[in-house]
Amino acid sequence: MLEAYEQRSEVARLLSQISSEYEAAQRGLTGLSYGMSQHDFITARMENMGQLHTQLQSIVGDVAIAMIADRLNTVHS
């Protein structure tokens, strides 16, 4: 039973981190920096999201991308 709780907790943590990375990337689009530094910042956030997606997918399988899409839809709204 504890293992299931730990998995849910890890899933929640990963989804929260993905949301944070997404929000940071969104802010990077409208931030004061321009050019290459802005591009590098956004690229780093997207790469982090990719790594977090891989971790999430190892826990929940192919449903990971749907979970991320649902989470990001709530962030974006």
Side-chain angles (χ1 to χ4, degrees), residues 10-40:
E10 181 67 2
V11 167
R13 183 188 70 77
L14 290 168
L15 288 171
S16 178
Q17 280 188 270
I18 289 169
S19 294
S20 294
E21 293 291 342
Y22 179 80
E23 289 178 39
Q26 287 289 97
R27 285 191 302 274
L29 288 172
T30 59
L32 296 176
S33 63
Y34 293 101
M36 190 56 120
S37 64
Q38 182 181 27
H39 182 270
D40 290 344

Side-chain angles (χ1 to χ4, degrees), residues 10 13-14 50-60:
E10 181 67 2
R13 183 188 70 77
L14 290 168
Q51 292 171 355
L52 293 165
H53 170 258
T54 299
Q55 292 174 29
L56 182 62
Q57 190 174 31
S58 72
I59 297 170
V60 299

